[in-house]
Amino acid sequence: MLFGRQTGCTNLPMSKAQTELENDKNIHLIDVRTQEEYREGHIPGSCNIPLGRIGEIEKAVPDRDAKLFVYCLSGSRSASACAHLVRMGYTNVTNIGGIAQWNGRIESSQAVRL
């Protein structure tokens, strides 16, 4: 959890994140992988904002106090995205790691563009 303390965001294991997502429909689930990766398979209900465009999150989630769960493939890009979001002023940012640890349903579709 050292990373979370350094950046102001927290880390949550994917298994616990799944439970929270089931119980709290107000969580914004952000996939920071590329659009191609997102189209190949993503967590249902997630919004695709690639890491290189994370500054555009303001279009999708203008409320800086909104609860954000961020994921990628393995957890590395989501950690970088979380640090950036905290620097942007988002106050409730959680890195839930990589989709590789997701045990739920995966959707394949077109990326949702901002």
Side-chain angles (χ1 to χ4, degrees), residues 18-111:
Q18 285 182 257
T19 301
E20 284 201 36
L21 286 163
E22 290 169 10
N23 295 323
D24 185 348
K25 300 303 178 195
N26 293 316
I27 297 172
H28 296 270
L29 185 58
I30 310 298
D31 183 325
V32 296
R33 298 174 302 145
T34 66
Q35 290 180 355
E36 293 77 22
E37 288 174 298
Y38 185 83
R39 279 193 294 267
E40 289 172 8
H42 57 271
I43 299 172
S46 63
C47 178
N48 181 225
I49 305 174
L51 179 58
R53 294 177 43 209
I54 197 65
E56 297 177 25
I57 193 168
E58 295 168 316
K59 295 176 187 175
V61 187
D63 178 3
R64 302 217 183 219
D65 295 321
K67 191 170 190 176
L68 304 177
F69 277 13
V70 183
Y71 76 94
C72 61
L73 179 63
S74 66
S76 181
R77 285 177 282 180
S78 57
S80 295
C82 286
H84 188 84
L85 290 166
V86 169
R87 286 192 304 272
M88 288 177 66
Y90 284 87
T91 62
N92 196 349
V93 182
T94 302
N95 179 4
I96 63 170
I99 193 171
Q101 286 78 43
W102 177 258
N103 290 322
R105 190 170 65 85
I106 300 289
E107 283 183 342
S108 297
S109 67
Q110 292 297 315

